[in-house]
């Protein structure tokens, strides 16, 4: 990985699909000396390219784009249909139809083609690892390739990548990077040790990190940077819904849990009514369940009801504040805010 590409401060803003990641957030993080990320998940190729163009207008510093690998999950259509039936009363109450499963590849091939024609400095992959040919193609364009892993076995299979994002069980959002992953969720600090035992690649640590002391600890454990997600959700530059931002500070939400209720794949979120009532009945069917629940989640957010929304959150969600992103980066890196900003790479 080129040292000229790597940010001065060891803070990576997690790519958060579905709204939180914006050009404004990515640019603010990169300008502060960290590494900002955009999220291509659930977006069209055109929307992805527009985000890249907007970020380039806002900053001259390196930033990244994250892609979802196509789902290889073995789906049971009958189980998905049964879950749709279960959610019919929710939909009727909200005045919207239950969603219908749609394309399962997130336009992956088209996004790869578009990015290779004009790539950002960093590209990362979630829900699996692309083939070595795709990785080499980006590397030949000078792009740093990062793959998200949640087990040591996944790390072995991502050996062609330039770096690994090691995501512990404390993280908000999804896990299960590879279709055949069956391992129990592993806490971040143990996972760092396990992954370091099988690879010499640079490791970016993710999962429940929201304080300067937490960042310093994982750097001492051998990570080159900390990837932070939930702590950025309430920043003014975040595109998260007002409902999501408010819930992170709402005293009625006292814990997080893993659930398939909203998307069909395990993800950590604040425990609300929807999660409690439907988690036990949701099939392992991603992204089919995502499409099924999408209209319900959108309607709940529009009505200001946090009990029906996927409130993705890491275990340290109470540390999330409305601090501007640049100030948060310098705080997490243990650098006084207002210090001379890092200079752009030559």
């Amino acid at each position: 990985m080129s040292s000229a590409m790597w940010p001065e401060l060891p803070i990576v803003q997690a790519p958060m699909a579905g709204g939180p990641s914006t050009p404004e957030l990515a640019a603010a993080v990169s300008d502060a000396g960290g590494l900002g990320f955009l999220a291509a998940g659930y977006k069209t190729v055109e929307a992805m390219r527009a985000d890249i163009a907007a970020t380039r207008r806002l900053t001259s510093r390196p930033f990244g784009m994250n892609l979802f690998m196509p789902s290889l999950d073995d789906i049971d259509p009958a189980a998905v249909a049964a879950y749709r039936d279960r959610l019919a009363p929710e939909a009727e109450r909200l005045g919207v139809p239950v969603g219908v499963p749609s394309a399962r590849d997130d336009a992956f091939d088209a996004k790869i083609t578009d990015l290779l024609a004009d790539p950002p400095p960093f590209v990362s992959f979630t829900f699996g690892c692309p083939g070595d040919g795709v990785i080499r193609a980006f590397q030949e364009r000078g792009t740093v390739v990062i793959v998200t892993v949640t087990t040591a076995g996944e790390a072995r299979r991502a050996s062609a990548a330039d770096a690994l994002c090691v995501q512990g069980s404390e993280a908000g959002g999804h896990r299960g990077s590879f279709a055949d992953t069956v391992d129990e969720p592993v806490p971040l600090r143990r996972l760092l040790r396990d992954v370091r035992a099988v690879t010499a690649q640079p490791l970016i640590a993710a999962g429940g990190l929201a304080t300067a002391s937490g960042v310093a600890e994982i750097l001492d454990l051998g990570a080159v940077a900390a990837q932070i997600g939930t702590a950025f959700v309430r920043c003014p530059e975040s595109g998260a819904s007002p409902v999501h931002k408010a819930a992170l500070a709402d005293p009625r939400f006292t814990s997080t849990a893993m659930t398939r209720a909203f998307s069909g794949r395990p993800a950590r979120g604040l425990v609300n009514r929807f999660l409690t009532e439907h988690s036990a009945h949701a099939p392992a069917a991603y992204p089919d369940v995502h499409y099924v629940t999408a209209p319900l989640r959108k309607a709940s957010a529009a009505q200001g009801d946090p009990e029906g929304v996927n409130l993705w959150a890491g275990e340290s969600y109470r540390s999330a504040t409305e601090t501007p992103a640049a100030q948060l980066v310098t705080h997490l890196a243990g650098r006084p805010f207002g210090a001379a900003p890092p200079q752009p790479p030559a």
Side-chain angles (χ1 to χ4, degrees), residues 322-340:
E322 295 178 333
T323 303
Q327 187 172 342
L328 180 57
V329 169
T330 56
H331 167 72
L332 291 169
R335 178 189 185 124
F337 185 66

Side-chain angles (χ1 to χ4, degrees), residues 25-342:
L25 179 59
V29 170
S30 291
D31 277 346
L35 177 61
F37 253 94
L38 301 168
Y42 311 129
K43 291 194 171 184
T44 65
V45 174
E46 294 75 18
M48 178 189 75
R49 178 52 58 183
D51 279 353
I52 292 173
T55 306
R56 286 172 171 165
R57 289 193 296 268
L58 293 169
T59 183
S60 61
R61 295 179 184 276
F63 63 91
M65 176 63 76
N66 174 260
L67 287 87
F68 288 169
M69 291 294 296
S71 175
L72 301 176
D73 294 355
D74 186 12
I75 303 301
D76 179 356
V80 175
Y83 194 56
R84 291 186 76 246
D85 290 342
R86 176 180 176 80
L87 297 181
E90 293 264 5
E92 183 177 0
R93 177 179 59 82
L94 291 165
V96 296
V98 180
V100 178
S102 185
R104 308 186 70 240
D105 64 353
D106 201 44
F108 180 79
D109 290 341
K111 289 175 180 176
I112 291 293
T113 299
D114 181 89
L115 287 175
L116 283 173
D118 184 15
F122 289 78
V123 169
S124 68
F125 294 90
T126 302
F127 300 153
C129 182
D132 288 358
V134 170
I135 293 176
R136 284 194 300 270
F138 278 111
Q139 292 168 335
E140 289 169 359
R141 296 298 311 273
T143 295
V144 175
V145 177
I146 302 170
V147 173
T148 302
V149 300
T150 59
T151 69
E154 292 174 0
R156 291 190 186 93
R157 293 162 57 182
S159 60
D162 295 297
L164 303 178
C165 177
V166 180
Q167 181 180 298
S169 59
E170 304 92 334
H174 290 84
R175 75 175 303 274
S177 301
F178 295 70
D180 58 356
T181 295
V182 295
D183 307 61
E184 288 298 314
V186 181
L188 175 59
R189 287 143 185 87
R190 177 155 62 92
L191 184 60
L192 274 174
R193 182 194 66 204
D194 293 348
V195 172
R196 176 51 69 217
V198 302
T199 182
Q201 291 160 287
L203 305 182
I204 301 166
L209 300 173
T211 64
S213 60
V215 171
E217 179 187 0
I218 61 94
L219 296 178
D220 287 343
L221 292 175
V224 299
Q227 179 167 287
I228 313 290
T230 307
F232 282 107
V233 170
R234 296 185 66 206
C235 292
E237 300 90 347
S238 163
S241 70
V243 168
H244 192 177
K245 290 185 176 185
L248 293 173
D250 190 329
R252 82 178 104 163
F253 299 112
T254 61
S255 62
T256 66
M258 300 295 290
T259 182
R260 290 197 302 259
F262 297 104
S263 71
R265 179 167 283 169
R268 181 175 298 282
L270 298 180
V271 176
N272 61 3
R273 180 192 59 79
F274 194 101
L275 184 152
T276 301
E277 292 183 1
H278 300 299
S279 289
H281 305 276
Y286 177 87
D288 301 61
V289 171
H290 161 78
Y291 289 119
V292 166
T293 65
L296 285 65
R297 292 181 279 123
K298 183 177 180 179
S300 292
Q303 295 176 21
D305 179 11
E307 298 294 348
V309 181
N310 50 310
L311 302 171
W312 301 142
E315 289 186 354
S316 298
Y317 67 95
R318 283 294 188 224
S319 296
T321 68
E322 295 178 333
T323 303
Q327 187 172 342
L328 180 57
V329 169
T330 56
H331 167 72
L332 291 169
R335 178 189 185 124
F337 185 66

